[in-house]
Amino acid sequence: MTTINRPVRPRRHRLAARAGLAAGTASALLAALTGCGGDGGSGTAHGGPKTKHPAPKPAPAWRTDPHSIAALGDSITVGFDACTVLSDCPEVSWATGTDPRVGSLARRLVRTNPAAHSWNYARTGALMSDLPEQISEAAARRPELVTVLIGANDACRSDVRAMTSQAAFRAGFERSLKTLRRTLPHTQVYVAAVPDLLRLWAEGRRNPLGKQVWKLGICGSMLRDPDDLTKPAQDRRNRVRERVMAYNEALAEVCAKDALCRFDRSVFDYPFTERQLSTWDWFHPGARGQQQLAELAFRTITRRENG
């Protein structure tokens, strides 16, 4: 038998080959464990498992049939001057009133005993800075809907220089909404725009008796010297209107960040007439004005989509 002599590799070559094999095996094992190919690509491209991300939580649904209501705000919501001069008249309140002629939100929305499931914490003369205290009072009732109509008094000061600044007004509403959410995370919030005070002046100044009542100090920044049509007087009134518009902008923007908050600009846009004003001061809403406020709020609250 013929013997074939094969060349013998040096020992160092055999060790290098074994090391290369071990490295290749380790690399393949690492790729299998991590789902990554040897070229650094994703394991998904080679049929590896896909990463699953949790689905985003759906926004809380707005209910059009709340079973209880707490009303917050100022003199408008307690029906100031709607029944008698310089007095509150909560029975005709647009939010919680019991007078059937007004058809308040409570009477329209709360089907079971509305008088027992609606509460009015609004105060005549209240400013935005007073809203957190009202929220704290309302929170004990655990209402399903909170209504807010506030800001007229922040603009209705003795002089335009005393009006609440836009920044302070916005900060106050942000703080109030945070206070509410800490205790009432699922409560819906309806926010009415501050009415157009310039239009109320234009309508109310037609009545001589109303202008006499205005002299008692009602909204001096807007109503002082109601028959003065000089440029300085008009500029003063326009400054008040611009501040009200700035308040409404702040209310709308802060409310839009909360999934369970709806802002209603129609309260500013609505063309209130003398027939809807108080027959005692021709500035605050009378019973007919309260009825219109209730109708505007009802439309917004019962709208199916939040827009």
Side-chain angles (χ1 to χ4, degrees):
M1 179 179 294
T2 303
T3 303
I4 300 174
N5 294 320
R6 294 188 178 93
V8 180
R9 292 182 181 179
R11 187 171 182 272
R12 62 177 179 274
H13 290 169
R14 293 199 302 271
L15 292 176
R18 291 175 183 174
L21 177 61
T25 302
S27 178
L29 180 59
L30 179 61
L33 292 175
T34 61
C36 296
D39 59 354
S42 170
T44 303
H46 301 282
K50 296 182 179 180
T51 302
K52 294 183 178 180
H53 298 284
K57 293 182 179 179
W62 179 276
R63 292 186 55 184
T64 59
D65 59 343
H67 296 155
S68 56
I69 299 173
L72 315 178
D74 53 31
S75 57
I76 296 176
T77 301
V78 290
F80 182 78
D81 270 3
C83 302
T84 55
V85 65
L86 302 180
S87 299
D88 294 342
C89 188
E91 56 265 34
V92 299
S93 166
W94 64 272
T96 60
T98 56
D99 192 325
R101 296 173 299 171
V102 172
S104 68
L105 279 181
R107 290 181 62 88
R108 297 177 191 228
L109 295 175
V110 181
R111 297 179 180 179
T112 304
N113 197 358
H117 295 91
S118 58
W119 310 276
N120 197 325
Y121 296 102
R123 299 288 183 272
T124 293
L127 302 166
M128 176 56 76
S129 58
D130 298 311
L131 189 57
E133 181 180 352
Q134 294 183 18
I135 288 173
S136 296
E137 292 182 273
R141 299 288 188 174
R142 312 296 298 180
E144 293 188 6
L145 173 68
V146 165
T147 68
V148 178
L149 202 177
I150 200 166
N153 290 315
D154 289 272
C156 279
R157 311 304 291 166
S158 58
D159 187 81
V160 293
R161 291 171 294 184
M163 293 189 297
T164 303
S165 70
Q166 180 183 358
F169 188 88
R170 178 188 292 269
F173 186 53
E174 289 177 333
R175 183 167 56 253
S176 298
L177 206 51
K178 288 179 181 178
T179 298
L180 184 146
R181 283 290 167 242
R182 280 197 295 268
T183 53
L184 302 173
H186 305 298
T187 292
Q188 299 177 171
V189 183
Y190 165 81
V191 180
V194 182
D196 187 349
L197 304 182
L198 183 64
R199 181 174 184 85
L200 299 182
W201 161 81
E203 290 294 315
R205 65 183 291 268
R206 300 176 183 179
N207 190 284
L209 179 59
K211 289 187 289 187
Q212 291 300 315
V213 176
W214 291 357
K215 292 180 180 179
L216 298 176
I218 297 177
C219 197
S221 55
M222 176 62 74
L223 303 183
R224 186 176 71 249
D225 302 324
D227 293 323
D228 185 353
L229 302 181
T230 62
K231 187 177 185 304
Q234 298 285 46
D235 288 346
R236 166 173 54 84
R237 298 185 191 107
N238 285 330
R239 285 182 62 188
V240 177
R241 187 174 192 268
E242 289 170 359
R243 186 61 56 88
V244 167
M245 293 173 68
Y247 291 166
N248 286 335
E249 179 183 358
L251 292 173
E253 291 178 355
V254 173
C255 186
K257 298 176 182 178
D258 189 303
L260 289 177
C261 184
R262 287 188 177 184
F263 173 73
D264 188 1
R265 180 186 166 84
S266 69
V267 177
F268 176 85
D269 294 333
Y270 187 80
F272 287 98
T273 67
E274 183 180 359
R275 296 177 66 251
Q276 293 162 323
L277 300 182
S278 162
T279 55
W280 298 101
D281 66 23
W282 279 268
F283 183 68
H284 286 85
R288 289 182 178 177
Q290 293 282 346
Q291 180 186 39
Q292 186 58 55
L293 288 171
E295 176 63 28
L296 295 175
F298 180 75
R299 292 176 191 172
T300 297
I301 292 167
T302 58
R303 190 178 66 237
R304 289 296 174 181
E305 295 84 16
N306 188 5

